[in-house]
Amino acid sequence: MRRFNLAVLAALTLGAGLTAVPAHAGEGHAGEVRAGEVRAPLGIANCTAGACHFDVPAGTYDVKVLLGGDADSSTAISGETRRSLLPATAVPAGERVARSFTVNVRTPEGEPTGAEGSPGLDLVIGGTAPALADIKVTPARHARQILLVGDSTVCDQPGDPYSGWGQQLPQYLRKGLSVANYADSGESTVSYLASPQLWGTVQPLIRPGDLVLVQLAHNDKTTDGATYRANLETLVAGIREKGGEPVLVTPIVRRWFNSDGTLNNNTALLVNGLGVDHPAVIRSVAADNGVPLIDLTARTKSLVESLGTEGSKALYLYNEKRDNTHTSEQGATVYAGLVRDELLAQHLVPEGLVRAE
């Protein structure tokens, strides 16, 4: 049975609280919380064994936790719709370690066309031996944000064993940088642009300097090349119109091997039935429009081929669902790490806002 320690340290002061927002106040600029008049401390008192709930409106929040207890511990934190917010953190017996992250709270809390979810901010305190000593939630006043535009391989998947890489990306980020994941299952460039719940919602949220990562290809199965290119260019122009920085992401490969152990086929490399090579078009649009490119197709192809037919099964849902397209939590975490590496390598985010471990 897992141990859980909610030992509030006597030496800690929990008085510093959150500025609560009346229901009519709504959201501030691009989801930041406006200051209200009612002050209420939001800390360890909002937690029970294994979970914390904070009654806050939609917005962006900084979360500071103090981890550790009397015994050796290892604590990980997830929240909202199964988002990984803090990786497993080991703390020796008798010691305390502080960690912070920034989280996006929105409705719907997961996929934009999915269930609304529960109001407020919900966190799950997990890990092999979790020990939460203290927690403090405050509005994030100057946080940067990464918005995600994508499909089911990116989105906040509602149910186990599915997981999108965007769902795992927050654990690699530090306080001051949040992920607002507006990826949605089943979407193509055509359907995403046409939906008021998707592009119609995302574009107004873009602030100057925000990164917007776009990975749409898996469902453009009947989209011709000219339309696909035009749709990508429309997304790029719309992001720039709001002062955001678009980043085009080629799609993760499908785990579809040739007999020689390679993925050099149309199914694996996202070439649709009309012969449209989606990754090639994305690379071309990025080059022609001066847009940063994360070539996730090339990165995942290299990794999957190196693991081979057996070793790569764990990255996808082959064992559980005979699914060679959607990723497991393990696979999504590994692929999110590849995105993190590219964000750093291309200097798209400051090193101080990214966890290297």
Side-chain angles (χ1 to χ4, degrees):
M1 184 175 181
R2 296 190 305 177
R3 291 175 286 117
F4 184 83
N5 188 342
L6 274 174
V8 182
L9 303 182
L12 292 173
T13 301
L14 300 180
L18 173 77
T19 302
V21 181
H24 65 270
E27 294 185 17
H29 181 54
E32 289 191 358
V33 179
R34 294 174 181 169
E37 297 180 353
V38 179
R39 290 185 174 274
L42 290 184
I44 201 77
N46 295 79
C47 301
T48 59
C52 303
H53 173 76
F54 302 94
D55 187 15
V56 296
T60 307
Y61 295 89
D62 290 332
V63 179
K64 181 176 181 179
V65 296
L66 195 66
L67 306 176
D70 297 335
D72 290 345
S73 63
S74 179
T75 308
I77 299 178
S78 60
E80 298 297 271
T81 303
R82 304 175 61 241
R83 301 180 216 160
S84 293
L85 300 172
L86 187 72
T89 303
V91 182
E95 297 186 16
R96 302 292 185 268
V97 170
R99 291 288 186 269
S100 298
F101 56 87
T102 300
V103 60
N104 170 259
V105 176
R106 62 182 183 273
T107 302
E109 69 178 35
E111 295 182 85
T113 63
E116 288 194 358
S118 58
L121 170 61
D122 289 288
L123 302 176
V124 176
I125 314 302
T128 56
L132 177 67
D134 189 26
I135 187 168
K136 179 183 176 183
V137 176
T138 55
R141 296 300 180 187
H142 304 289
R144 298 182 62 183
Q145 65 179 350
I146 297 175
L147 293 105
L148 303 181
V149 170
D151 53 36
S152 59
T153 66
V154 184
C155 75
D156 288 348
Q157 288 280 0
D160 185 69
Y162 294 88
S163 183
W165 64 253
Q167 201 164 18
Q168 301 299 326
L169 185 61
Q171 67 184 297
Y172 291 114
L173 308 179
R174 299 183 186 274
K175 175 186 174 184
L177 182 60
S178 69
V179 173
N181 191 351
Y182 284 88
D184 195 71
S185 293
E187 305 301 340
S188 65
T189 57
V190 176
S191 63
Y192 202 97
L193 281 167
S195 173
Q197 294 171 281
L198 299 171
W199 185 237
T201 296
V202 174
Q203 191 189 23
L205 296 177
I206 300 171
R207 304 172 302 188
D210 284 342
L211 285 183
V212 185
L213 275 57
V214 179
Q215 186 213 280
L216 286 168
H218 278 273
N219 300 300
D220 279 279
K221 298 174 183 178
T222 59
T223 309
D224 65 82
T227 301
Y228 186 65
R229 173 180 287 272
N231 288 345
L232 291 175
E233 291 177 338
T234 296
L235 288 164
V236 167
I239 293 164
R240 286 176 166 167
E241 178 186 327
K242 293 294 185 177
E245 182 174 359
V247 179
L248 293 179
V249 183
T250 59
I252 67 170
V253 295
R254 294 190 178 102
R255 186 190 161 277
W256 197 267
F257 281 92
N258 298 323
S259 59
D260 63 359
T262 68
L263 299 178
N264 296 321
N265 59 77
N266 288 353
T267 299
L269 299 182
L270 282 296
V271 179
N272 75 9
L274 300 178
V276 179
D277 185 332
H278 293 107
V281 175
I282 295 169
R283 294 177 189 122
S284 176
V285 171
D288 291 347
N289 292 273
V291 177
L293 173 74
I294 294 178
D295 199 340
L296 205 52
T297 304
R299 295 290 301 269
T300 55
K301 177 180 184 292
S302 177
L303 176 60
V304 170
E305 287 180 341
S306 71
L307 292 172
T309 56
E310 288 302 315
S312 61
K313 287 179 178 178
L315 299 181
Y316 291 81
L317 294 175
Y318 179 84
N319 294 325
E320 300 88 348
K321 302 285 186 177
R322 294 298 187 268
D323 186 335
N324 291 306
T325 297
H326 297 97
T327 48
S328 63
E329 183 175 332
Q330 177 184 340
T333 301
V334 170
Y335 288 176
L338 297 179
V339 174
R340 181 271 315 270
D341 293 346
E342 287 295 319
L343 292 174
L344 283 174
Q346 298 188 43
H347 306 290
L348 295 170
V349 296
E351 288 186 13
L353 295 180
V354 180
R355 298 184 195 280
E357 68 274 12

